[in-house]
Amino acid sequence: MRHYTAFALALCALLPVAATAQEAVATTTQSGSIDLGVRGSSLTGDAARYERYRDLGDGLFLETFRWKAQKNGWFLDAGADHAGRRDQRYTVNVVRPGTFKAWGQWDQIPMLLSRTTRTPYSSTVPGEFRLDDAVQAQLQALATAARPAAVQALVNGSAMFDLKSKRHSAAGLFELMPTVDSAIKVSVKHTIREGAQPFGGAFGHSQVAEFAAPIDHRLTDFDASAELERGPALFRAGYTGSWFTNEVTSAVFDNPLRATDISGTASSGRLSLPVSSTMLGVNGMVSIKLPSKSRLTAYATMSTLKDDNGAVLPMTSNSAELPAAGLPTRASLDGEAQMRGFNLNFTSRPSTYFSVNARMKYYDYNNKIPSFVSSRKVAYDGRLSTTATLESEGYSVTRLNFDGDVRITPKGPAALTLGYGRYTDQRTHRIFEKTVDNVMRVKVDTLSTGVISVRGVYEHAQRRGEGFDVNVLLRATEQPGMRHSDVADRDRDRFTLIASFMPVTNWALNVSSAVGRDDYLASEFGLRDNNHDVYSIGIDGTPSDKVGLGVSYSYEDYRALSRSRQANPGAQTLDPSRNWATDSADKVHSLIANAEFRNLAEKVDLAFSWDYNRTRATYEYITGAVTDRTLPEEAIVPSTLPTPVALPPVKSDLWRGTVDAVYNINSRIAIGVTYWYDKYDVEDFTLDSQAQSTLTAGNNMLLYYTYAPYTAHTTWGRLMFRW
Amino acid sequence: MGQHIRKLGPKLWVATACLVWLAAFGSMRANAPDPGSAEKSPALQSPAQAQAAAAPAQPASDATYVGQDTCLSCHDEAMAAYKDSPHHRAADKRTPSATQGCETCHGPGSKHVADPTSVKPASFKTMPAEQADATCTTCHSKGEHALWDGSQHESRGVACITCHSVHTPVSETGSLKKKSQTEVCASCHRDKVSKVDRSGHMPVREGKMECSTCHNIHGTTNVKLLRKGDSIADSCVSCHADKRGPFLWEHAPGRDGCTTCHDPHGSSNDRMLVAKPPALCQRCHVATRHPSTIYDAGLVATSVRVFARSCVTCHSTIHGSNHPAGNMFVR
């Protein structure tokens, strides 16, 4: 019954389509193709990562089915991909050009995270993760020193299971054009997401239990709009609705080391999962064509987000603390937010040599959830504390953006654009009350010459915060010199260049470059700079109408520096000799090559491709000053911290090669062979199987969700039929 | 009543939509005239069509229309893929095939026929972008394309024909010049497209998503040409609705913009994070004790704050919490 909405939707979409199809098939032109295959794979390593969002199981499969028909002005398209597989998709499209259009789709997206996860938890009630009481009692009785090994033995002795989820969606789009100047459009999409994801629950700073948190979501999106064109004006009005249902809004997980609740430690923990919610909104737009190739567009929207009778969870799952903890100061979430938006765009091209664009965008997110205040807190479901008062801070933001561009096109091959933008954000409960970002842009674009095309942009931006409130940091026991990078003062320079050179019509040389420098100039702590350099070069060519070749290489370099001070409360927080920094770098090389040969010996099509992606990420710790990134006013003192032990680099390499050969027996039938080679190598000090297998210390119960390499050879024979 | 309707919520709207759709389809089928019929409902004709039906119009310049067959007598290669395209559906009165054929877009061809070597018809490959766009937007100016004028691509002189091809489309849908959207977009946005090959990625290379799933390339009301909502976060939570809240305790930078922590195009880190925790979290958190600890190689093998899901193993409700003790996102 849970899926009835999806089925109802699909049925609604398909019934008339089927009626149309029946009529269409009877008499008219039709064409189609079907691509069947038999697949076999040889795989070593992480099968889950190889498949991830696909179903590549062995055996017979329908790769694609396509069918087109038309009769008396009706056009029908139907398609199926991977029919019968977990990643199957079905699409149908019915068009009466100029009058009516209907589109429907059923799509399944699997997500396979791991085939090697283990857990001793069992879950007979959704959201509850239980251990055998006897196991808990046995572990509780052990001496502290003996517990880690016992916990690991418990996990290692558990059966493996697939950690996975799936998204199934049914979508329909209906468009009616009563006149050539008007259109009514309705779209509905219902998505079911089910499965599990890794989630952690803590019983203190030194004990964590991971479990496969349930995903049981329903999301229905409804959009309706009406559009009318009258003379130079276009009017549009719309309604949007979004209903999200989460069937499991809390997770309870047993403590492996505690069979019974006591003050200070619970036998189980409980944490919150997202609540169901509804978002409803309306919008309207007017776009008017003006003289001198000008247009003015105004758009307004308002919407409301509310929770669906969401509840504040109980104070604690610890029965020993619950009497003293009592009830929460509020039982219901009372969650509500109102969003308002208004855009005004003006564009004009009064002459061949000059054009102007101006945009204003206003957005307001008003969080109306009442503040939750409590002087009682049971941290980690352990012990009740009444020493501090907690008060929630509903975050709101108002944005006002202005953008203007003037484009000058003198006689000659290039256009010059000068642009300015001012982005003002006002926020609640952040360290800055307001930030203003001033952006200057210069753009150069060559005009159509057919031989060479160059596009370049240089952008300089300065963001400055106003209304700095140090108490926001101090309340969170943060350093007063910390600045959060998403709102901190920041100078930005960015340059991008894209050039394409076509010396002859069949060949093109493309080069591109993107360079960016973000300097958080006033941040004593936190992100200090964030830079990127990306370069690419590629050649594409069709030396003949039977041959297509292409090769491209790109290099990406991302670097960021952030600063901190390792300190316990007290004097250490003021000691600059305890400063340290993380210099992180991400370097990626990627190479893509492809070749296509069509109609070899008039019957054979061959295609080759090769993809190589090599990533190296490093996290270098630096103690003491970072010479060229230290603020002038900082005290430079020798570090008193021990020299950090360097972290190993993170490696992620992906090779993928494909060969596709098709022999066209005649115009209707073809046979083919396809071969895929996939290889993935990974070394990740946080997530690869080596990292987690060495974890024997501590009382932590993990899922063993890891990254592991794989090598796969996949081959399939194909039979294609066209009519 | 309101509560009852609210509880029905999506089911009511889906059912209503189905009924409306069936009714509309049924009535439309009953009333729609045969496009071949001379008796066409006046409501379905634009003034231009009505005028054209009365008598074939001639252009204002001294060049005249010669008819599609004349064009194809020399340029028959132009029909190879075009004949299967929506532009060639003569049943649709809006299309070139239903009006002046080739000359609808390329202009009247009498002078070219008279002197093929010296006089060439309008070529979209060489004309300025604005001129090419003006031809396409004669028809494609509503719906998905309503905000093209002044949009990011249009204002840079990127023309419709930069990405689309009427005569030699390669893609299955959308008349694109390459097989897929990612190949087209990679021509300019190589740095974004190459990220889909990273280990943390959305299902783009698996064919389940495309660039246009999130972006409307032709112009939108949102930033970054995002299709849904009015902010980056609005766009992300249109699919990831479990992250939209509302929450008792919120992680403010997440509400401000998901891209503070995640790279939507792809990343080598788990969950598409821009950097690996704890380094990512330590960009904003330097409080005393464990938030400001150096998690070097000496701690990797022993500290759950480094390996597995790192900080988020304990702070698992990082997007928001509805627990009275959820202010640190551990509950």
Side-chain angles (χ1 to χ4, degrees):
Chain A
M1 286 308 291
R2 212 188 270 168
H3 305 299
Y4 93 91
T5 308
F7 288 133
L9 181 67
L11 198 61
C12 284
L14 291 173
L15 269 174
V17 168
T20 307
Q22 217 167 16
E23 188 182 326
V25 166
T27 56
T28 188
T29 54
Q30 52 166 323
S31 63
S33 66
I34 187 165
D35 187 342
L36 288 167
V38 176
R39 176 166 51 215
S41 292
S42 162
L43 173 79
T44 53
D46 192 345
R49 184 161 294 278
Y50 175 55
E51 287 198 286
R52 188 52 47 118
Y53 297 114
R54 303 175 292 184
D55 179 350
L56 296 175
D58 293 346
L60 188 68
F61 69 98
L62 176 71
E63 175 73 2
T64 60
F65 166 77
R66 299 285 183 266
W67 184 52
K68 292 186 181 189
Q70 56 172 301
K71 184 218 177 205
N72 290 344
W74 286 89
F75 295 84
L76 169 70
D77 289 278
D81 295 90
H82 309 152
R85 294 285 174 145
R86 291 193 306 274
D87 57 351
Q88 60 188 341
R89 171 191 282 173
Y90 304 96
T91 308
V92 65
N93 200 29
V94 177
V95 177
R96 174 88 164 181
T99 308
F100 177 78
K101 177 180 176 182
W103 171 89
Q105 184 178 83
W106 171 262
D107 194 15
Q108 294 182 190
I109 307 176
M111 185 175 182
L112 185 53
L113 283 174
S114 173
R115 287 218 155 108
T116 57
T117 30
R118 297 173 187 270
T119 182
Y121 282 126
S122 63
S123 180
T124 51
V125 175
E128 288 189 15
F129 300 89
R130 300 298 185 188
L131 295 169
D132 191 89
D133 287 347
V135 169
Q136 282 180 287
Q138 188 181 9
L139 288 169
Q140 178 182 309
L142 286 176
T144 304
R147 286 177 178 176
V151 169
Q152 297 315 308
L154 180 64
V155 178
N156 293 341
S158 310
M160 282 190 191
F161 70 98
D162 286 356
L163 186 63
K164 60 185 179 183
S165 64
K166 60 185 178 187
R167 256 193 176 91
H168 294 179
S169 65
L173 168 73
F174 321 106
E175 189 171 352
L176 183 66
M177 288 149 272
T179 68
V180 72
D181 303 323
S182 63
I184 299 169
K185 197 185 285 190
V186 173
S187 70
V188 185
K189 183 174 181 181
H190 183 73
T191 304
I192 301 162
R193 187 173 173 224
E194 294 174 328
Q197 60 179 333
F199 226 74
F203 292 100
H205 280 136
S206 305
Q207 188 197 347
V208 164
E210 255 192 340
F211 52 92
I215 301 171
D216 197 350
H217 301 164
R218 308 283 180 272
L219 178 65
T220 303
D221 290 304
F222 176 86
D223 285 85
S225 65
E227 205 170 72
L228 177 67
E229 194 172 30
R230 276 290 176 263
L234 176 72
F235 303 92
R236 183 192 290 170
Y239 171 84
T240 63
S242 175
W243 295 266
F244 170 70
T245 303
N246 186 4
E247 303 288 351
V248 184
T249 55
S250 69
V252 176
F253 46 101
D254 274 351
N255 184 347
L257 302 181
R258 192 73 222 165
T260 53
D261 292 335
I262 57 170
S263 180
T265 313
S267 64
S268 66
R270 174 166 51 209
L271 52 77
S272 76
L273 297 175
V275 295
S276 305
S277 63
T278 299
M279 191 156 77
L280 304 173
V282 292
N283 58 79
M285 185 180 85
V286 176
S287 184
I288 302 173
K289 219 169 185 176
L290 299 170
S292 301
K293 297 181 186 174
S294 307
R295 182 178 287 278
L296 180 69
T297 304
Y299 166 84
T301 179
M302 45 192 277
S303 52
T304 304
L305 170 69
K306 284 186 181 179
D307 71 284
D308 291 348
N309 300 315
V312 176
L313 290 191
M315 292 294 288
T316 181
S317 58
N318 187 341
S319 60
E321 294 295 311
L322 195 54
L327 295 172
T329 52
R330 186 165 91 225
S332 59
L333 185 57
D334 297 336
E336 182 180 347
Q338 291 179 352
M339 289 79 79
R340 304 281 184 270
F342 178 71
N343 294 4
L344 196 62
N345 295 352
F346 175 73
T347 180
S348 180
R349 192 168 287 116
S351 88
T352 318
Y353 309 110
F354 173 80
S355 65
V356 62
N357 287 318
R359 289 174 295 278
M360 189 274 285
K361 181 174 175 65
Y362 170 81
Y363 174 76
D364 177 62
Y365 180 91
N366 183 7
N367 192 329
K368 297 175 77 73
I369 188 169
S371 183
F372 179 83
V373 183
S374 179
S375 60
R376 292 165 288 122
K377 176 179 174 180
V378 184
Y380 300 109
D381 288 302
R383 194 186 311 278
L384 174 67
S385 167
T386 57
T387 56
T389 298
L390 301 180
E391 184 173 357
S392 69
E393 297 173 340
Y395 173 71
S396 298
V397 61
T398 302
R399 298 192 173 106
L400 186 60
N401 298 346
F402 290 102
D403 262 302
D405 289 299
V406 172
R407 182 173 155 103
I408 303 158
T409 313
K411 282 194 174 177
L416 175 71
T417 305
L418 303 173
Y420 171 73
R422 180 179 169 93
Y423 310 117
T424 305
D425 289 14
Q426 291 182 286
R427 302 177 175 90
T428 60
H429 307 297
R430 299 297 307 270
I431 60 173
F432 286 110
E433 216 173 79
K434 178 176 162 183
T435 58
V436 179
D437 205 346
N438 287 292
V439 184
M440 274 74 69
R441 299 184 193 94
V442 177
K443 307 175 193 177
V444 173
D445 298 291
T446 57
L447 306 177
S448 175
T449 67
V451 176
I452 188 165
S453 157
V454 177
R455 298 184 185 281
V457 180
Y458 171 69
E459 179 182 291
H460 176 73
Q462 285 188 342
R463 182 175 67 200
R464 298 290 182 266
E466 299 173 16
F468 176 67
D469 184 358
V470 72
N471 292 311
V472 173
L473 293 168
L474 297 177
R475 278 198 301 271
T477 69
E478 295 282 356
Q479 288 280 352
M482 156 60 77
R483 297 291 182 269
H484 300 135
S485 60
D486 60 327
V487 298
D489 289 358
R490 184 258 294 131
D491 283 352
R492 166 174 286 173
D493 290 281
R494 286 191 172 171
F495 174 72
T496 60
L497 178 74
I498 302 164
S500 180
F501 178 59
M502 290 183 65
V504 293
T505 47
N506 295 344
W507 288 93
L509 171 71
N510 303 299
V511 294
S512 68
S513 166
V515 175
R517 301 283 181 268
D518 285 356
D519 183 4
Y520 297 88
L521 62 167
S523 300
E524 185 184 358
F525 297 108
L527 194 63
R528 184 73 183 85
D529 56 49
N530 197 0
N531 305 321
H532 67 264
D533 295 81
V534 179
Y535 307 98
S536 75
I537 183 167
I539 299 174
D540 287 293
T542 50
S544 76
D545 59 359
K546 294 186 178 184
V547 179
L549 303 169
V551 63
S552 72
Y553 166 78
S554 70
Y555 171 71
E556 300 164 63
D557 184 354
Y558 300 92
R559 301 178 310 283
L561 180 82
S562 74
R563 302 187 62 220
S564 182
R565 177 177 292 171
Q566 182 167 291
N568 286 322
Q572 288 186 351
T573 61
L574 302 174
D575 182 0
S577 75
R578 302 187 65 80
N579 286 1
W580 60 275
T582 310
D583 199 349
S584 58
D586 210 338
K587 297 184 201 299
V588 184
H589 300 266
S590 57
L591 178 70
I592 299 173
N594 54 74
E596 273 187 54
F597 303 92
R598 293 177 288 274
N599 292 333
L600 293 178
E602 295 191 358
K603 282 187 178 281
V604 177
D605 295 330
L606 271 179
F608 303 92
S609 74
W610 179 255
D611 225 308
Y612 173 55
N613 188 286
R614 177 184 187 274
T615 304
R616 296 289 181 271
T618 56
Y619 295 87
E620 182 190 354
Y621 288 116
I622 305 165
T623 51
V626 182
T627 49
D628 59 340
R629 277 105 140 222
T630 301
L631 295 179
E633 60 273 21
E634 287 181 58
I636 309 297
V637 298
S639 175
T640 55
L641 293 174
T643 303
V645 181
L647 287 166
V650 176
K651 300 179 183 178
S652 177
D653 296 342
L654 179 67
W655 294 262
R656 192 185 310 119
T658 68
V659 178
D660 238 305
V662 174
Y663 176 74
N664 296 289
I665 297 171
N666 55 42
S667 62
R668 288 186 178 271
I669 303 175
I671 56 174
V673 170
T674 297
Y675 168 71
W676 288 353
Y677 169 76
D678 288 81
K679 181 172 160 61
Y680 174 66
D681 266 349
V682 62
E683 290 177 24
D684 188 321
F685 60 84
T686 65
L687 276 166
D688 72 25
S689 47
Q690 279 296 108
Q692 288 214 13
S693 74
T694 59
L695 174 60
T696 55
N699 296 319
N700 306 297
M701 200 165 76
L702 301 180
L703 280 174
Y704 289 132
Y705 163 59
T706 58
Y707 282 22
Y710 65 79
T711 302
H713 305 270
T714 301
T715 308
W716 69 87
R718 300 165 67 186
L719 173 65
M720 289 152 279
F721 182 64
R722 298 180 280 262
W723 66 92
Chain B
M1 175 66 172
Q3 195 173 9
H4 181 66
I5 289 177
R6 193 173 163 198
K7 193 176 176 183
L8 285 174
K11 298 168 188 164
L12 177 63
W13 284 111
V14 168
T16 305
C18 284
L19 287 170
V20 168
W21 139 233
L22 285 168
F25 179 82
S27 67
M28 190 275 306
R29 284 208 66 196
N31 295 329
D34 187 310
S37 162
E39 295 296 323
K40 187 173 175 67
S41 165
L44 294 174
Q45 285 184 328
S46 72
Q49 289 170 344
Q51 194 177 18
Q58 292 296 327
S61 72
D62 53 359
T64 57
Y65 296 114
V66 299
Q68 182 165 286
D69 290 342
T70 305
C71 305
L72 294 176
S73 63
C74 293
H75 301 287
D76 61 343
E77 76 284 353
M79 187 55 77
Y82 177 75
K83 64 177 171 25
D84 295 323
S85 75
H87 288 115
H88 193 248
R89 291 175 180 169
D92 184 352
K93 297 301 182 191
R94 305 167 301 171
T95 62
S97 284
T99 50
Q100 301 297 340
C102 311
E103 295 163 288
T104 309
C105 300
H106 293 282
S110 61
K111 290 195 169 182
H112 171 62
V113 169
D115 187 357
T117 312
S118 309
V119 179
K120 301 293 184 185
S123 169
F124 286 83
K125 290 179 184 174
T126 56
M127 67 171 63
E130 300 85 43
Q131 189 178 339
D133 291 354
T135 306
C136 304
T137 55
T138 305
C139 298
H140 299 286
S141 60
K142 300 191 284 288
E144 280 276 292
H145 312 101
L147 294 166
W148 172 250
D149 284 345
S151 66
Q152 281 88 325
H153 288 107
E154 191 272 338
S155 64
R156 297 292 305 278
V158 177
C160 309
I161 58 153
T162 305
C163 303
H164 298 279
S165 173
V166 170
H167 288 289
T168 54
V170 179
S171 65
E172 192 175 343
T173 57
S175 296
L176 298 173
K177 286 184 167 177
K178 298 195 177 174
K179 274 190 190 157
S180 67
Q181 287 185 16
T182 47
E183 285 181 67
V184 172
C185 300
S187 307
C188 297
H189 303 285
R190 185 77 178 88
D191 56 333
K192 303 294 186 295
V193 173
S194 67
K195 289 183 178 180
V196 303
D197 280 338
R198 308 277 182 89
S199 56
H201 64 278
M202 301 245 207
V204 175
R205 55 178 152 105
E206 289 84 358
K208 290 297 185 180
M209 288 178 71
E210 301 175 291
C211 306
S212 65
T213 305
C214 297
H215 300 279
N216 182 354
I217 296 89
H218 307 103
T220 65
T221 54
N222 200 355
V223 297
K224 307 288 185 186
L225 288 178
L226 291 168
R227 181 177 286 280
K228 292 268 208 170
D230 296 283
S231 68
I232 293 175
D234 284 354
S235 176
C236 301
V237 301
S238 66
C239 285
H240 300 283
D242 53 323
K243 311 295 188 292
R244 75 184 181 195
F247 295 110
L248 206 62
W249 309 99
E250 276 196 313
H251 194 206
R255 174 67 62 192
D256 220 320
C258 310
T259 53
T260 301
C261 297
H262 298 277
D263 189 333
H265 300 105
S267 161
S268 303
N269 302 306
D270 201 37
R271 289 153 287 150
M272 298 168 64
L273 295 171
V274 298
K276 191 179 286 299
L280 172 64
C281 309
Q282 288 177 321
R283 289 180 178 184
C284 288
H285 297 287
V286 299
T288 55
R289 298 204 176 94
H290 75 272
S292 62
T293 299
I294 299 176
Y295 291 102
D296 66 358
L299 285 175
V300 163
T302 57
S303 175
V304 75
R305 296 185 188 125
V306 183
F307 58 75
R309 301 168 76 247
S310 185
C311 311
V312 187
T313 309
C314 291
H315 299 275
S316 46
T317 57
I318 192 62
H319 296 100
S321 170
N322 298 319
H323 192 288
N327 60 315
M328 292 292 178
F329 308 114
V330 293
R331 282 295 184 268

